[in-house]
Amino acid sequence: MTARLLLVRHGETVWHAENRYAGISDVALTERGFRQAEALAHWVKGREVNVVACSPLSRARLTARPAADALGLVPEIVEDLREVDFGWGEGRTIAEMEAEDPAAVRAFRADAEAGAFPGAEPPGAASARAASALRGLAAAHPGRTVLVVAHNSLLRMALCALLGIPVGRYRQVFPRLDNAAVSEIEVAGERTALRSLNVPTGAVATGAVATGAATSAGATGATGATGAAPAGDASTGRGGESAP
């Protein structure tokens, strides 16, 4: 039986202004981030959402909590929904890393898997654990709708794994997920369909919205589904590169 998963990136954090890679660092939400969480709660109210699950990191838990309260649910903490560990990149900006080691940044930009930052969790392993976590939620809640609050890079890598897209291309295929925006997938066993991407929930949104479906049987359709310009990989919509 098919489960419907509503994938949401957490609200804005204090590192977004400088576009620092948060990864597994436990970074606080900004006031805007808390407003985005409230907007998500307003969005889910009255919708048929049966389960709320989230990453253990506080920025995800605090984004999920208002939505869970609005639905009368208790969030399920899923350890494998934590963000990717960016190793050398943790807490740093692309500009800072480029000044220290431009070759490493060039390699990352060219292929995020082959050129992963030193000391980082391998993207193949991160995408596999994330996809497994999402399939596990789908298997545990067949025929139901699950709101999943997690992270920018982890969710993009998971989408690649679920749709059969090379994980090294996650930054090109899915330039960013906006804070508190919803991307919908349907999961039935090993089969996944992408129903929508980056749908605003009432918070300030800078990304594109796509509807329709791309499936794991025809995943190349997902590349064009974002409708976002691949050159603008900015989490804030200000033209920098996307950092979780």
Side-chain angles (χ1 to χ4, degrees), residues 4 6 36-50 52 64-73 145 147 182 201:
R4 180 174 171 241
L6 305 177
Q36 289 167 335
E38 292 297 334
L40 176 63
H42 181 76
W43 186 88
V44 300
K45 198 177 299 183
R47 283 177 162 82
E48 188 180 346
V49 176
N50 312 108
V52 176
R65 184 181 297 162
D69 289 346
L71 295 164
L73 300 171
T145 298
L147 180 71
V182 175
T201 55

Side-chain angles (χ1 to χ4, degrees), residues 93-235:
T93 68
I94 283 284
E96 289 169 350
M97 289 183 277
E98 197 164 29
E100 182 176 320
D101 191 341
V105 173
R106 281 196 301 272
F108 174 69
R109 284 172 167 155
D111 185 320
E113 182 172 28
F117 295 140
E121 179 181 10
S127 63
R129 72 167 164 85
S132 177
L134 295 178
R135 287 192 179 113
L137 285 169
H141 306 288
R144 307 185 86 193
T145 298
V146 184
L147 180 71
V148 181
V149 181
H151 305 274
N152 186 32
S153 292
L154 183 82
L155 289 175
R156 290 184 291 162
M157 290 181 186
L159 286 171
C160 286
L162 292 168
L163 296 168
I165 300 167
V167 71
R169 297 191 62 229
Y170 81 88
R171 300 172 77 251
Q172 290 78 31
V173 177
F174 301 109
R176 67 168 175 268
L177 298 179
D178 288 330
N179 297 111
V182 175
S183 298
E184 180 182 345
I185 60 175
E186 292 178 350
V187 180
E190 295 298 307
R191 186 173 176 83
T192 298
L194 175 63
R195 304 300 304 178
S196 66
L197 185 70
N198 238 7
V199 176
T201 55
V204 176
T206 58
V209 177
T211 59
T215 70
S216 52
T220 53
T223 304
T226 66
D233 193 9
S235 61

